[in-house]
Amino acid sequence: MQPDLILKNANIANGATGVDIAVVDGKIAEISENLDVPALEVIDCGGMLVSPPFVDSHFHMDATLSLGLPRMNESGTLLEGIALWGELKPLLTPEAVIERALKYCDLAVSKGLLAIRTHVDVCDDRLLAVDALLDVKKQIAPYLDLQLVAFPQDGYFRSPTAKQNVIRALDKGVDVVGGIPHFERTMADGAASVTELCEMAADRGLRVDMHCDETDDPMSRHIEMLACETQRLGLQGRVAGSHLTSMHSMDNYYVSKLIALMAEAEVSAIANPLINITIQGRHDTYPKRRGMTRVPELRNAGLTVAFGHDCVMDPWYSMGSGDMLEVASMGLHVAQMTSRDDIRACFNAVTTEPAKIMGIEGYGIEVGSNADFVVLQARDTIEAIRIRANRLFVIRRGKIIAETPMAQTRLHLNDRPDHVREHEYAPTL
C-alpha cells in the first residue's frame, strides 16, 4: 500500500540515524533505511531528530493563563497561590475556563505537546471547571489527549463537600482519582484520605495520581501510605505520587526503605522541576534546599519517573511556556543529572515515561504505533534539551498539525559565516 507520508533521513531517540519512517492510515508501517517507494507526502528531515510527542503528566489546566486574576501572587509562594485560587474560583465562568484551556492547548500543540494529564479542582460545588474541561477534552480529542484528575484541592476531609464532589466528578467521566493528603488537618486524616481515595479507584478500575508530600517537612510521609494501599488493593502500575518534595529533606536511612517500598508497589513518581525549585525551601536561609524529589535514586530503583510542567501563568507560577524541553532542562540541572545517559533519561522523563504513567496506547516510534511525531531542529535528544530545539513539524496520526521554519540568525560579519543555526555548533559525539 502506498504510504500517506514518509519521513526521510530521520534520527530517532534510540540512536538510529538516517532512517526513513513510512506512515499508512495514521500508523507507522515501516522504519528502515532508504525506503524507495512513492508517498503522498515526503518530509526530508535532513538528519534531524524525530521524537514521539511530548507528554505532560502533571498540569493544572483549570487555572492556566489566569495570571493576575483577580490579583497577582506578590510573594510567589505556594500558600498565597492557594489563597489566590480560592479568591478566583467563585469568579470563574465556563466560557473563560474553556477559552483559556483551548488557548493553552494551541500553545501545547505548537510545542509538540500532544498529551496532558490535568488535575481539576473539585472543591467548588458547581463543578464548573470539571464540566468546562470535559467539554475541552471532547473538542481537542482529534489532536491532543487530555486526561482529567478529580483533585480535592482544599482537602478530601478538610473541605466539607470534597468527598461527594470527587464522586460526582468521576460519575461525569473524569479519568483519574486525585488527592492531597498533606493538606489535611492531621497526619491521620491524610492517611485516611489515601485509603478512601485508593479504594474508590480500585472499585471503579481507575488510575490514581496524588499530590503527595508537597512540603519541606521530612515527616510528611503519605507516599508510604500510598505505596501500601497500592499493594493492598492490587493497584500496581496504576498509581503515581506527584511532587514528593518532602523526600528531598528526609533521613537517608528512611528513604532507603521508602524507595524500596515504592518500587515493590510499582508506584510511579512525577517531579515538577520548575515549580519544586521555585516553591520549596522558602523558609530556608542558607544553605537553601532545592526541594525536588530524589529523581536519580528513584530511577536507579527501577521506578518510572516523569517530569511535569505543573503550572503556566497562573496563581502559583507567573512563568511557563508549555515547553517540556524547558522542564527537562531544569530537571537535569536541579537533579545534577549531567552524564550522557542521565541527560537522555531527562528527555525520556517528558516523553516515554509520562506516556507510561498515563497509559497512552500506541505511543512511540516503532512499527504499529500511532504516527504521532515531533521533528526537532536537533540531531539527538541531548542537543534537543541543550538548545530547547525548535519544532519543525508536529504530526498527529500522519497529518501535519503545526510547523515552524528552520531557526537561523543571519550574521553581518566580515570573514565569518553568513548565518548561525544553533544545532550545527556542537561537536558530533
Side-chain angles (χ1 to χ4, degrees):
M1 182 178 294
Q2 182 183 28
D4 303 307
L5 171 69
I6 294 181
L7 301 179
K8 301 284 293 183
N9 192 20
N11 296 350
I12 54 180
N14 67 4
T17 60
V19 300
D20 299 343
I21 304 171
V23 174
V24 175
D25 293 334
K27 299 283 187 181
I28 299 174
E30 187 175 353
I31 302 174
S32 63
E33 295 182 4
N34 302 315
L35 273 177
D36 188 19
V37 293
L40 297 178
E41 186 169 13
V42 175
I43 296 175
D44 185 353
C45 298
M48 297 292 99
L49 176 66
V50 175
S51 166
F54 295 108
V55 179
D56 184 358
S57 55
H58 189 104
F59 195 63
H60 292 266
M61 194 173 287
D62 50 356
T64 197
L65 305 184
S66 64
L67 181 65
L69 300 175
R71 59 181 177 83
M72 292 295 293
N73 182 339
E74 295 298 337
S75 68
T77 61
L78 173 63
L79 290 180
E80 185 176 355
I82 292 173
L84 181 52
W85 177 240
E87 296 171 25
L88 178 57
K89 271 195 291 189
L91 307 178
L92 294 176
T93 65
E95 295 78 13
V97 173
I98 290 170
E99 180 184 4
R100 288 194 290 265
L102 289 174
K103 190 173 181 180
Y104 183 77
C105 290
D106 293 342
L107 178 63
V109 168
S110 77
K111 301 292 186 179
L113 171 56
L114 300 187
I116 300 173
R117 172 183 282 182
T118 178
H119 296 254
V120 187
D121 188 356
V122 299
C123 292
D124 173 356
D125 291 342
R126 298 173 297 169
L127 293 187
L128 181 150
V130 170
D131 289 335
L133 290 187
L134 285 169
D135 182 88
V136 169
K137 180 178 179 177
K138 292 178 183 176
Q139 290 191 51
I140 65 174
Y143 56 87
L144 193 153
D145 295 316
L146 186 63
Q147 199 173 80
L148 307 185
V149 184
F151 178 46
Q153 169 82 68
D154 299 330
Y156 182 72
F157 291 123
R158 188 171 177 175
S159 179
T161 57
K163 179 176 180 177
Q164 68 188 49
N165 287 350
V166 169
I167 294 170
R168 289 171 58 208
L170 297 176
D171 287 345
K172 284 174 176 283
V174 169
D175 309 282
V176 181
V177 177
I180 186 168
H182 59 278
F183 201 63
E184 301 293 350
R185 292 293 187 187
T186 66
M187 294 289 285
D189 277 355
S193 76
V194 172
T195 296
E196 283 203 19
L197 288 162
C198 285
E199 288 176 344
M200 194 180 298
D203 288 345
R204 292 172 177 258
L206 299 178
R207 295 176 183 269
V208 176
D209 188 341
M210 292 196 186
H211 285 60
C212 216
D213 306 321
E214 188 185 1
T215 170
D216 295 325
D217 179 7
M219 299 309 293
S220 184
R221 297 178 172 182
H222 293 104
I223 183 58
E224 179 182 74
M225 189 69 176
L226 183 60
C228 287
E229 290 301 277
T230 298
Q231 286 186 301
R232 180 178 73 87
L233 296 166
L235 293 170
Q236 290 92 334
R238 291 160 49 192
V239 176
S242 289
H243 291 290
L244 307 178
T245 57
S246 65
M247 197 182 297
H248 184 89
S249 303
M250 287 176 181
D251 172 79
N252 287 334
Y253 179 81
Y254 173 71
V255 169
S256 69
K257 166 195 169 187
L258 175 61
I259 292 179
L261 176 63
M262 293 172 66
E264 185 179 305
E266 300 175 40
V267 171
S268 300
I270 304 171
N272 296 286
L274 296 171
I275 305 305
N276 298 154
I277 193 67
T278 303
I279 287 177
Q280 305 312 133
R282 284 295 180 124
H283 298 288
D284 295 353
T285 53
Y286 289 93
K288 188 180 285 287
R289 287 170 287 182
R290 291 185 175 92
M292 193 170 78
T293 195
R294 303 188 187 206
V295 172
E297 291 86 349
L298 291 165
R299 286 193 62 252
N300 290 340
L303 275 76
T304 299
V305 183
F307 293 153
H309 205 314
D310 200 3
C311 304
V312 171
M313 290 182 282
D314 68 10
W316 295 273
Y317 188 59
S318 62
M319 308 295 284
S321 62
D323 187 350
M324 296 307 293
L325 289 176
E326 179 185 10
V327 176
S329 178
M330 178 61 80
L332 81 85
H333 283 89
V334 177
Q336 299 179 336
M337 295 174 64
T338 52
S339 75
R340 308 303 281 180
D341 284 344
D342 279 346
I343 298 173
R344 295 184 187 99
C346 289
F347 189 90
N348 293 341
V350 295
T351 52
T352 57
E353 301 306 278
K356 292 176 190 174
I357 291 171
M358 290 178 61
I360 300 173
E361 296 182 359
Y363 181 91
I365 299 186
E366 56 188 32
V367 173
S369 295
N370 292 327
D372 299 341
F373 314 112
V374 183
V375 182
L376 293 155
Q377 191 177 338
R379 293 168 297 184
D380 56 40
T381 58
I382 293 175
E383 187 171 73
I385 295 176
R386 182 180 67 80
I387 65 176
R388 297 183 196 171
N390 186 32
R391 283 70 166 166
L392 298 172
F393 296 95
V394 180
I395 297 167
R396 171 80 165 186
R397 303 298 193 267
K399 303 293 184 183
I400 297 171
I401 60 172
E403 58 183 300
T404 306
M406 179 82 71
Q408 69 175 27
T409 300
R410 183 164 296 281
L411 297 181
H412 301 276
L413 302 174
N414 292 332
D415 302 320
R416 299 305 304 153
D418 64 359
H419 68 267
V420 170
R421 296 190 186 107
E422 194 169 356
H423 73 276
E424 296 174 343
Y425 276 68
T428 302
L429 299 176

